[in-house]
Amino acid sequence: MASVACIGECMVELRQAQGGQSAGQSSGQGQGGGLYSRGFGGDTLNTAVYLARLEVKVDYLTALGDDALSDEMIAAWNAEGVGTRRVSRLPGKLPGLYLIQTDAKGERQFFHWRDSAAARQLMSLPETDELLNSLMSYDIVYLSAITLSIYDAAGRERLFAAIKRARLLGTRFVFDTNFRARGWPDRDVAREVFATAFATADIVLTSTEDLLALYPGESHQLMARIPTPELVFRLAEPVSLLRFPGGTSEVRAEPMTKPVVDTTAAGDSFAAAYIAARLGGSDPVEAAQAGHRLASLVICYAGAIIPGYAMPPKKRHRPATTRQATK
């Protein structure tokens, strides 16, 4: 069975509640009378959950504390079918926290408290070598620019070296640009790291939103910056431009039939559906169609993870091809 390693950070999520308290979540009265519900989220964790729901074997690689909130996270991931065997637990540490505010159009704004979060130490632990050596046992390693932003330069170098070793044995590296300027000391550092990721990746998932923020004024040159064999470039409108060995294509999402409630995790769910479809034997066009379908559903619900009953019916794919080592 094909397997994926998702690397990143999960945080405590506070979001504005609508209509009171949700089951399994606690609520508190915010300043000005706003209610907030508590859950958990993070870009690569969201992708891991959706991969598990799409019946892909997935492990989440991160570090957490030894506190009750970290225990709740582990239990929630296990309940979703996300593997936790490679989660490091650090005594005395805590997970990070973020708050989401959404406007009337469903667009979101994030506020973070994460500078001392346990996940930031993942690349500098006694067990880090063992963790990184495990990457070669997966079919795909998936991470985002947010993942890379939480490590220091030495940690990123260590991670890229491990990914390159794993690729020699046939593991594919999928990089999701998911750029957030506040996570980087400056754009020059981010551009240097992105260049390394682009040169290493087998598949890049990106968007005009991410790249125009990183490379202002370069709208016509953005795709040319990325040498990756397989590229998915999501536009501001619900359209993806694809480049892959042997061709290019444009994939347009089907028209929305329900109102947009919250765009949180639109890209994360797209990534999950795309990866699941590619592992299942679909070509890039079919995979992008699957990505748009799931993302269009996810944005009709509040929060990063939609209720399980809202997931679309499972589609069977062709058997995945055998892993081949990178020449």
Side-chain angles (χ1 to χ4, degrees):
M1 183 178 182
S3 59
V4 178
C6 290
I7 309 174
E9 178 183 20
C10 181
M11 293 175 283
V12 178
E13 177 189 271
L14 299 178
R15 60 182 172 86
Q16 291 174 317
Q18 299 180 3
Q21 185 169 330
S22 301
Q25 296 178 320
S26 60
S27 296
Q29 190 78 17
Q31 184 176 4
L35 287 173
Y36 289 86
S37 63
R38 175 172 66 78
F40 305 116
D43 63 338
T44 54
L45 185 278
N46 300 335
T47 299
V49 169
Y50 286 116
L51 280 168
R53 290 184 176 187
L54 293 169
E55 299 185 339
V56 174
K57 183 179 179 181
V58 56
D59 286 336
Y60 197 57
L61 282 58
T62 192
L64 292 174
D66 57 355
D67 57 291
L69 288 173
S70 296
D71 290 342
E72 287 185 29
M73 286 186 183
I74 293 288
W77 303 348
N78 285 330
E80 287 282 1
V82 175
T84 58
R85 58 183 173 147
R86 306 206 189 277
V87 177
S88 297
R89 304 296 297 271
L90 309 185
K93 300 297 289 186
L94 294 167
L97 179 147
Y98 69 98
L99 182 147
I100 302 175
Q101 289 185 334
T102 53
D103 62 22
K105 295 182 180 180
E107 293 300 326
R108 73 279 193 210
Q109 184 176 11
F110 294 87
F111 303 87
H112 291 86
W113 295 264
R114 66 196 301 196
D115 289 346
S116 60
R120 289 180 172 268
Q121 298 184 22
L122 187 64
M123 292 298 121
S124 57
L125 300 174
E127 62 265 34
T128 298
D129 282 341
E130 180 181 355
L131 179 98
L132 293 177
N133 286 336
S134 75
L135 297 183
M136 62 185 67
S137 67
Y138 295 92
D139 294 276
I140 282 179
V141 172
Y142 170 81
L143 58 83
S144 73
I146 293 178
T147 303
L148 296 173
S149 73
I150 68 174
Y151 308 135
D152 60 17
R156 288 191 290 264
E157 183 177 353
R158 198 174 183 184
L159 176 57
F160 278 132
I163 291 172
K164 290 174 183 178
R165 291 195 299 271
R167 290 184 70 248
L168 293 175
L169 296 178
T171 298
R172 287 182 287 172
F173 172 35
V174 181
F175 176 57
D176 192 327
T177 55
N178 213 1
F179 175 66
R180 299 293 181 269
R182 63 181 169 269
W184 298 90
D186 59 60
R187 280 176 170 76
D188 287 339
V189 172
R191 291 177 187 127
E192 182 178 350
V193 174
F194 270 58
T196 301
F198 291 157
T200 307
D202 298 280
I203 301 173
V204 168
L205 306 176
T206 190
S207 67
T208 53
E209 179 184 7
D210 288 342
L211 293 192
L212 283 176
L214 187 58
Y215 307 104
E218 296 189 18
S219 57
H220 298 294
Q221 296 83 30
L222 291 176
M223 291 183 70
R225 278 189 169 275
I226 306 174
T228 311
E230 186 168 328
L231 172 64
V232 181
F233 190 91
R234 299 188 306 278
L235 305 182
E237 56 185 311
V239 175
S240 291
L241 304 180
L242 308 183
R243 188 186 70 212
F244 46 88
T248 61
S249 187
E250 177 182 296
V251 176
R252 185 173 296 272
E254 296 179 2
M256 295 288 297
T257 58
K258 296 180 180 180
V260 174
V261 174
D262 184 353
T263 58
T264 303
D268 308 334
S269 56
F270 181 102
Y274 188 90
I275 291 170
R278 293 293 282 131
L279 283 172
S282 295
D283 63 34
V285 172
E286 294 169 327
Q289 291 169 341
H292 280 299
R293 282 195 299 271
L294 183 55
S296 295
L297 178 63
V298 167
I299 62 177
C300 296
Y301 293 82
I305 306 298
I306 65 175
Y309 63 78
M311 289 292 293
K314 295 180 177 64
K315 180 181 178 180
R316 299 298 178 185
H317 302 282
R318 298 186 295 275
T321 55
T322 303
R323 289 177 60 184
Q324 296 182 350
T326 301
K327 299 294 190 291

